[in-house]
Amino acid sequence: MPPATLPGVVIGVDIGTTSTKANAYDTTGRQLASHLVDYPMNNPQPGYAEQDPQLILDAVLKSLSMVVAELAVPVSGLAFASAMHSLIGLNAAGDPLTPSLTWADSRSTRQAERLRAVPSGLALHRRTGTPMHPMSPLPKLLWFAEQEPKLFESVAHWVGIKDWVLLRICDTLVTDHSIASATGLLDIHRLVWDSEALAIAGITEEQLPRLVPTTTVLPGLTPQAAAITELPQHTPVVVGAGDGPLANLGLGAVHPGMVACSIGTSGAMRVMVERPGVDPLGGVFCYALTEHRWAVGGAINNGGIVLKWAGAALAPDLGDHSEEDLVALAARAPVGSGGLIMLPYLHSERAPHWSALPRGAYVGLTHSHRREHLIRAAMEGVCQQLALVLSSVRAAGNEVHEIRASGGFARSGLWRQMLADVLGLPVSFPAGHEGSSFGAALLGMQALGLIPSIDVAAELVRIEETVRPDPAAAATYAALLPLFAELYDALVPAFTSLRRLAPGLPTGPPMPR
C-alpha cells in the first residue's frame, strides 16, 4: 500500500529532445492524463543539431492545455524536466539570437578536445561534474567565441531550453542546480558558478541565469500562459531538474546502490549518491537532483538507434518498423555472435571515454558470419558499452546492488535478457511510469508539501518483471568485455586517421562513365 498522502495533482512536463510530454499524476502515482507534442531536430550542417526554441515553447503550452482539458480535478502545480546540455543565446529582451543547440550538437568537437588535452581539463571535470565533451555548453560557448565573435559579443544571456521556457511562462530568469551542473560551468561542490570555467568560456556570471534549488517554487504563470493553458495564473510552478536525474526518481532508483538504466535512441546509466564526485579517471558525470541527491553515471550516444541502423543497412527487406523481426533474426545467432564484436559508435560516443573521435567497427568478421550475427553483435555492443559505464560508476566508489531499466528496448525479451547477461546482475523493469515526467511530478509534490519526501518513489513504482542473468551467457560476456574495452584504445589511431581523411573522401556514388 502507498503511504498516506495529502490530495493533489501535479503535472510533470518533460521537455525532451524530440518531443515534450505532459503527464498529470496524483499523490499515489496514478497517471490521470497525458499528451505529447513532437518537434523536429534540424541538422543544417554536419555536426549541427539545433531546434527552434519557439516550437518547443509552443509544444509545452499545447501539451499543458490538452492535459488540463482532460482533467476533471484542480491542478496543484506544475514541475519541469528537461533534456540537459542545451544552449541558447538571448538578447537583453530575452529573445533568442541563436537556435537551441542540443546535447547532440558536435560542432565544438575541437574545442572540447583542447579542453580535455590540457592538465586542468580533468580537474575542471572533477570540479564541475561535466566531462569535456562537445555535448556540454562550455565548449559550445568557446566555439561561439571563436567562430561567431560578433554574435557572441551581442548575447546578453546564455540559457538552457528549460530556462527560456520558464522565462516565457513565468517571467523569471533562473536555472536550477541540476541543469546548471550539466553545463561545465558550475562548481558542484560549492553550488556557485566556477570562475575558471567562466573565464575559459569568456562570459560573466551576470550573463547566466540566477541559480536556484530544483525545488524552488515560482509564484505563478504570466497572464498569456495562463490564458493558453486555462490554468489559474497563481498556479505554482516548480523549477524542476534535468531529465537524467529525474528518470532515476521516476523509476524509484533513489537510494544508493540502485542504478537506473535506460535505452531509447541513446542510453544512460545513473546511480544516486549523497555527495557529489566523479571517478579518478573522469569516466562518469555527476549531476544534481537536489542538494543532497546526485546522479553519477554516463550516457551513450548509441542505443536503440544501432538496431534501427542494422535494419536499414543489413535487412532492408524487412521494411520500416521491423524491430521485432530484427530481434527475431538476432535470436538465431549464439551468445557472443560467434566471436564477432561490434563497437557501436555510429554517432561517435560519450561515456566512459567522452570523445567525439570514435566510429563504429565490426571486429572478428569471418566467412561464417551471417546478418543475424551482425545484428546480434550490434545489440550486444550497446549492452557492453553500458557495462563499461557501469564499471566507471563502480570506479567512482559506488556499490551497485540493483538495476532498474526502462526505454523502448524493454519491450523486447531478448534485449532484457541480454542486458542482464552482459551486466551480470538481475535487472528489474518497472511498469507504467514515464520516467522523467513522473520524476518531475514527484519532485514537485515534495516542493509543494503534497508528499513527505521523494523517497516515496521507491514504494510507488511497481516492478513488472525481474530478469536474472543466465550463468553461461554471463560468463561468455564477462570473457569478451575486456577485449571490447581494449578495442577502443587499439583503434584510436585509425579513428584519428579517418577523421583527417574524411573531408577529402567522396560523399556520393561514383559518376557514370
Side-chain angles (χ1 to χ4, degrees):
M1 293 291 291
T5 57
L6 298 172
V9 172
V10 172
I11 301 176
V13 183
D14 182 14
I15 305 171
T17 304
T18 58
S19 64
T20 284
K21 192 166 192 177
N23 293 292
Y25 299 93
D26 66 17
T27 50
T28 69
R30 185 166 56 110
Q31 183 175 296
L32 305 177
S34 178
H35 192 78
L36 179 145
V37 180
D38 293 317
Y39 33 75
M41 176 80 76
N42 302 317
N43 308 105
Q45 296 185 47
Y48 285 42
E50 307 174 339
Q51 291 177 312
D52 182 343
Q54 184 62 47
L55 289 180
I56 296 176
L57 174 62
D58 293 344
V60 168
L61 293 171
K62 182 175 181 180
S63 62
L64 276 171
S65 65
M66 296 299 288
V67 166
V68 170
E70 191 177 338
L71 288 171
V73 293
V75 174
S76 300
L78 312 177
F80 282 81
S82 173
M84 308 178 92
H85 311 295
S86 59
L87 182 69
I88 309 169
L90 306 180
N91 64 18
D95 300 318
L97 297 175
T98 73
S100 176
L101 277 63
T102 73
W103 63 266
D105 194 288
S106 61
R107 71 185 71 181
S108 61
T109 292
R110 297 192 184 279
Q111 287 76 14
E113 288 177 348
R114 290 208 313 265
L115 291 173
R116 282 180 61 85
V118 297
S120 59
L122 181 56
L124 196 59
H125 178 177
R126 291 172 177 167
R127 207 164 59 246
T128 66
T130 305
M132 298 301 108
H133 186 274
M135 69 178 182
S136 165
L138 173 54
K140 288 182 170 76
L141 287 166
L142 201 53
W143 183 91
F144 274 112
E146 295 174 358
Q147 301 298 319
E148 299 278 357
K150 290 185 178 179
L151 173 63
F152 183 78
E153 290 299 324
S154 67
V155 170
H157 298 286
W158 294 98
V159 303
I161 186 60
K162 181 163 73 67
D163 309 332
W164 187 73
V165 167
L166 290 175
L167 174 63
R168 281 290 176 257
I169 70 171
C170 298
D171 198 25
T172 304
L173 184 58
V174 296
T175 192
D176 65 82
H177 290 147
S178 181
I179 292 296
S181 67
T183 62
L185 302 170
L186 182 78
D187 184 330
I188 60 174
H189 305 282
R190 299 189 299 138
L191 294 179
V192 297
W193 295 119
D194 186 90
S195 57
E196 181 185 352
L198 296 184
I200 291 170
I203 63 172
T204 66
E205 188 172 330
E206 289 71 30
Q207 289 178 277
L208 295 170
R210 176 168 57 92
L211 288 164
V212 296
T214 58
T215 50
T216 297
V217 182
L218 303 180
L221 300 168
T222 64
Q224 183 182 15
I228 293 171
T229 60
E230 297 189 359
L231 284 165
Q233 193 175 340
H234 62 266
T235 302
V237 178
V238 179
V239 173
D243 58 358
L246 284 173
N248 273 60
L249 181 54
L251 291 174
V254 292
H255 300 303
M258 297 175 68
V259 169
C261 175
S262 60
I263 306 179
T265 301
S266 56
M269 185 168 284
R270 300 166 300 270
V271 64
M272 283 294 168
V273 299
E274 295 177 351
R275 284 182 290 275
V278 302
D279 63 299
L281 297 178
V284 295
F285 55 59
C286 182
Y287 302 147
L289 176 59
T290 66
E291 293 180 36
H292 305 292
R293 293 281 176 85
W294 298 78
V296 171
I300 63 172
N301 286 354
N302 304 280
I305 200 169
V306 176
L307 186 61
K308 185 176 181 180
W309 167 84
L314 304 173
D317 54 298
L318 298 179
D320 296 332
H321 312 294
S322 58
E323 181 177 316
E324 288 186 12
D325 294 330
L326 288 168
V327 171
L329 262 178
R332 290 162 46 182
V335 171
S337 302
L340 180 63
I341 293 175
M342 183 196 185
L343 301 184
Y345 308 142
L346 304 181
H347 292 267
S348 182
E349 195 46 285
R350 286 184 282 174
H353 301 292
W354 302 107
S355 172
L357 183 64
R359 297 293 180 264
Y362 278 102
V363 178
L365 192 63
T366 71
H367 75 285
S368 62
H369 288 121
R370 297 294 179 263
R371 65 177 180 173
E372 54 261 37
H373 296 88
L374 274 73
I375 294 168
R376 184 180 185 111
M379 296 172 66
E380 290 177 338
V382 172
C383 294
Q384 286 167 318
Q385 191 68 24
L386 285 168
L388 295 186
V389 177
L390 183 62
S391 296
S392 293
V393 168
R394 286 173 163 150
N398 302 293
E399 292 186 8
V400 176
H401 58 74
E402 181 180 352
I403 295 177
R404 293 188 174 189
S406 66
F409 90 105
R411 294 189 294 267
S412 160
L414 180 62
W415 269 117
R416 290 186 176 207
Q417 187 64 56
M418 186 183 292
L419 185 65
D421 293 342
V422 172
L423 299 181
L425 288 168
V427 180
S428 297
F429 295 87
H433 286 303
E434 294 282 351
S436 299
S437 65
F438 183 50
L442 286 170
L443 187 67
M445 290 174 193
Q446 176 184 298
L448 298 172
L450 299 174
I451 59 174
S453 165
I454 55 175
D455 288 337
V456 304
E459 301 169 46
L460 294 178
V461 176
R462 179 175 63 85
I463 299 300
E464 179 181 72
E465 180 187 13
T466 297
V467 177
R468 302 188 180 281
D470 174 80
T476 297
Y477 289 128
L480 287 170
L481 186 61
L483 177 57
F484 180 87
E486 291 167 6
L487 283 172
Y488 174 89
D489 291 328
L491 289 174
V492 163
F495 295 149
T496 303
S497 296
L498 280 172
R499 186 171 71 176
R500 186 185 72 251
L501 293 170
L505 297 176
T507 57
M511 297 293 291
R513 295 188 177 186

